[in-house]
Amino acid sequence: MLNIDKLIIGFDNALRTLLAPANTLRPVPGKDLPENELSEIEKRESAALMRINHVGEVCAQALYQGQALTARNDRVRQALDQAAREETEHLAWTERRIAELGGRKSFLNPLWYGGSFTLGLVAGVLGDKWNLGFLAETERQVEAHLASHLQQLPHQDIRSRAIVTQMKVDEACHATMAVSHGGGRLPAPVKVAMKFSSTIMTRTAYWV
């Protein structure tokens, strides 16, 4: 059951995710690499792709926080909290890179957060097996999505590429963690629905 303390913490986490600059303990990947010259078109493309990645991290924060609130096992909750902390670093990295490229974050971040938080709550209520299974499948799809961005980013934008590469490694680790903690395999229709929702989000975030 939810209690008032958890709800207050959840509300505080939401405000921090949406309004406060994210922090990172690890160095930003690629921070020591040169800032190669990009054309205006290339800058806009890189900024749009990094905006999508930032939205993905906003969603990840919300998802993990919702799942942790309803997780029934303390070990599972701790694993979710650890993953959320690493996703906070991704949030900081993408936020910083967007600023360096002269871009902006998505205007719809509160909407993305609210929807993902609700999904996280529902996944947690279904039980830890499906909670972790949902997390594992989410991370697999995010990993594939990041791989596609490595193909789309301008080749000379090595700083953005370094960030996306490290994020891809971390997401794969999160999926492995979820399975090792007992995550179940989701039914095929659920996977398809998740991919469809992700496609809508990424296409919208590219522009808005």
Side-chain angles (χ1 to χ4, degrees):
M1 294 291 291
L2 296 178
N3 60 44
I4 190 65
D5 289 337
K6 287 183 178 180
L7 290 174
I8 291 173
I9 291 172
F11 183 70
D12 180 67
N13 286 335
L15 292 179
R16 290 175 183 273
T17 299
L18 294 171
L19 301 178
N23 296 314
T24 178
L25 295 176
R26 288 181 291 175
V28 179
K31 72 179 183 68
D32 295 325
L33 294 175
E35 183 71 86
N36 292 332
E37 185 175 351
L38 302 173
S39 69
E40 286 304 312
I41 292 176
E42 289 171 333
K43 277 188 178 181
R44 285 198 297 271
E45 178 69 7
S46 287
L49 293 173
M50 295 307 285
R51 177 166 57 249
I52 292 172
N53 293 330
H54 182 269
V55 166
E57 298 309 321
V58 168
C59 292
Q61 284 291 304
L63 186 66
Y64 285 143
Q65 289 162 12
Q67 288 178 290
L69 277 175
T70 50
R72 302 173 188 178
N73 183 288
D74 285 340
R75 181 166 167 261
V76 171
R77 186 178 297 110
Q78 290 169 6
L80 290 167
D81 286 339
Q82 174 60 33
R85 284 192 289 273
E86 292 180 3
E87 297 290 357
T88 300
E89 295 187 319
H90 296 176
L91 199 67
W93 300 347
T94 52
E95 186 176 280
R96 181 175 302 185
R97 187 58 186 154
I98 289 170
E100 289 173 350
L101 291 165
R104 57 165 178 76
K105 295 181 286 186
S106 173
F107 296 129
L108 300 179
N109 276 342
L111 176 63
W112 307 131
Y113 186 97
S116 297
F117 184 79
T118 301
L119 284 176
L121 287 175
V122 172
V125 168
L126 292 175
D128 289 336
K129 174 183 176 181
W130 300 116
N131 191 3
L132 290 166
F134 184 79
L135 182 140
E137 181 59 27
T138 298
E139 296 294 22
R140 291 189 193 104
Q141 293 192 14
V142 170
E143 184 185 1
H145 156 81
L146 292 172
S148 73
H149 274 199
L150 286 174
Q151 296 179 345
Q152 296 174 61
L153 282 166
H155 182 72
Q156 62 270 34
D157 187 3
I158 56 178
R159 300 184 96 181
S160 294
R161 298 177 69 85
I163 290 172
V164 173
T165 298
Q166 184 58 53
M167 287 170 61
K168 183 175 178 292
V169 171
D170 292 345
E171 306 301 1
C173 290
H174 295 164
T176 301
M177 174 275 295
V179 173
S180 69
H181 280 71
R185 182 175 291 276
L186 299 184
V190 175
K191 295 181 183 180
V192 171
M194 291 171 65
K195 191 169 184 178
F196 177 73
S197 299
S198 175
T199 299
I200 293 175
M201 182 272 286
T202 54
R203 290 183 177 178
T204 305
Y206 184 91
W207 301 103
V208 186

